[in-house]
């Protein structure tokens, strides 16, 4: 049993992780950090299935320490995981820059694939049968190997369950079509995959802060009709879009303060928001548009901008105010593509029923 916990986050978000952990797990002491990786020492052993509801932590688990190669990784694995227990292998790269600042042509994956191949080639199948594929299922024992240029691998393990991403390191793979007007396309696809929000073809959504249109384009491609509120220009690929079921984009070409609930269809299923304004200000409009008539509303999908990491202390209050918009469930995370911001998904009773219903 190890006494260390590892947390992986966006590069630069380490202070936010420390601040969150100081509140959530005050018994932990900061131990070590690298960009995008923070470890903590616990007075008691860290269980691999312990939950950690931290917004800024993308991946976490019991930390086993650095390793120079496969043999050392397998010794660590044998020391923590009973022989014969199947293991899923997650190998991923720590962030190399802040999101969106990667060098031209850079992509995450090749370095991790190389390390994964080296581990698979030497895998002790007799001791720990390897689960095929990378997407974790509830209850899986996951071996975490975090890689970075010119550094030993960092090894940990966890049991997959609520709060853990099924994908290695919480990095959600999204293919962005070349014509997508902005990286918000990726952000919204990540948000839908992470939250599991039941957005369906035929739904009607409003996006506050829709230009140039990456998120709207992602919704349109999913068959949603989108009302976009923004005084800035929308990309023609969005304006000209016609879906197979005739879903389309309608531009309310003005600031959000000049849009009334009556300007939108009575049956509105989703309220999205991605404006570069303080959350307290932006949420006033989201609340207004999510209010009556609310019979059809399934939820809200909101990007909240942060001024700096000290804003972390306001998050519980912001989430409570989103809950008070009629949401039965509210969850938040910093998605891999989020910059100085976080994503919040709130679901109404109707939204939750759609998730669990037929
Ligand atoms: C991060 S961008 C939105 C990106 C967009 N969601 C996409 O998918 O491409 C923020 C947008 O908020 C808009 N915005 C700022 N203040 C606004 C206001 N008062 N009302 C409506 N939109 C506003 C800006 O014009 C800008 O287009």
């Amino acid at each position: 049993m190890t006494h260390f916990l590892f947390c992986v986050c966006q590069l630069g978000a380490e202070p936010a992780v420390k601040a969150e952990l100081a509140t959530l797990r005050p018994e932990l002491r900061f131990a070590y950090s690298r960009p995008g990786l923070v470890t903590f020492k616990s007075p008691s052993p860290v269980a691999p299935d312990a939950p950690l509801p931290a917004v800024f932590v993308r991946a976490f688990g019991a930390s086993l320490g650095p390793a120079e190669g496969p043999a050392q990784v397998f010794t660590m694995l044998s020391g923590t995981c009973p022989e014969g227990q199947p293991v899923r292998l997650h190998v991923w790269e720590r962030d190399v820059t802040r999101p969106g600042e990667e060098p031209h042509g850079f992509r995450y994956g090749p370095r991790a694939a190389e390390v994964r191949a080296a581990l698979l080639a030497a895998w002790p199948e007799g001791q720990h049968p390897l689960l095929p594929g990378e997407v974790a299922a509830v209850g899986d024992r996951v071996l975490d190997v975090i890689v970075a240029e010119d550094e030993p691998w960092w090894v940990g393990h966890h049991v997959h369950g609520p709060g853990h991403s099924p994908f290695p390191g919480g990095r959600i793979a999204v293919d962005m079509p070349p014509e997508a007007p902005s990286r918000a396309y990726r952000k919204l696809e990540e948000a839908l995959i992470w939250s599991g929000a039941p957005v369906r073809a035929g739904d009607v959504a409003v996006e506050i802060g829709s230009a140039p249109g990456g998120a709207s384009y992602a919704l349109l491609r999913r068959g949603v009709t989108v009302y976009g509120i923004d005084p800035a220009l929308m990309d023609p690929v969005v304006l000209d879009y016609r879906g197979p079921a005739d879903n389309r984009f309608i531009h309310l070409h003005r600031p959000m303060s000049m849009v009334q609930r009556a300007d939108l269809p009575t049956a509105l299923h989703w309220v999205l928001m991605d404006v570069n304004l303080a959350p307290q200000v932006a949420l006033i409009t989201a609340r207004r548009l999510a209010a009556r008539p609310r019979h059809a509303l399934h939820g809200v999908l909101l990007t909240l901008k942060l001024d700096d990491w000290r804003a972390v202390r306001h998050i519980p209050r912001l989430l409570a105010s989103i809950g008070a918009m009629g949401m039965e469930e509210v969850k938040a995370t910093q998605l891999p593509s989020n910059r100085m911001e976080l994503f919040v998904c709130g679901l109404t009773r109707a939204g939750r029923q759609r998730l669990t219903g037929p």
Side-chain angles (χ1 to χ4, degrees), residues 112-135:
E114 223 172 85
V115 172
R116 184 177 169 86
L119 287 163
L120 293 187
W123 193 264
E125 190 63 36
Q127 286 155 298
H128 299 289
L130 186 72
L131 291 165
E134 291 188 303
V135 181

Side-chain angles (χ1 to χ4, degrees), residues 38-229:
V38 189
T39 72
F40 297 87
K41 185 160 200 268
S42 165
S44 53
V46 173
D49 57 355
L52 183 68
V55 172
F56 291 92
V57 174
R58 236 189 254 162
F60 64 97
S63 182
L64 302 173
E68 297 285 351
Q72 225 177 330
V73 174
F74 300 137
T75 306
M76 289 171 166
L77 179 62
S78 299
T80 49
C81 182
E83 197 169 324
Q85 183 172 36
V87 170
R88 188 166 312 275
L89 177 62
H90 276 186
V91 184
W92 74 94
E93 299 153 28
R94 277 186 358 230
D95 285 11
V96 297
T97 63
R98 280 191 281 262
E101 294 178 6
E102 295 85 6
H104 183 70
F106 174 86
R107 67 182 182 89
Y108 289 105
R111 190 187 306 280
E114 223 172 85
V115 172
R116 184 177 169 86
L119 287 163
L120 293 187
W123 193 264
E125 190 63 36
Q127 286 155 298
H128 299 289
L130 186 72
L131 291 165
E134 291 188 303
V135 181
V138 172
D140 282 357
R141 171 78 63 151
V142 181
L143 177 67
D144 299 298
V145 180
I146 308 161
V147 301
E149 193 177 5
D150 296 331
E151 285 187 30
W153 308 333
W154 198 270
V155 184
H157 69 130
H158 71 270
V159 175
H160 184 69
H164 284 285
S165 168
F167 308 107
R171 215 182 274 294
I172 304 164
V174 173
D175 285 328
M176 196 156 94
E179 74 282 9
S182 67
R183 53 191 292 289
Y185 178 98
R186 174 171 284 136
K187 212 161 74 168
L188 185 72
E189 285 291 324
E190 284 179 1
L192 294 179
I193 293 168
W194 175 82
S195 64
V199 172
R200 298 204 182 139
D203 284 355
V204 178
V206 60
E207 191 187 19
I208 308 164
S210 57
S216 292
Y217 189 52
L219 290 169
L220 289 167
R221 284 172 45 117
R222 285 171 175 260
V224 175
T225 289
V226 186
Y227 288 75
I229 304 172

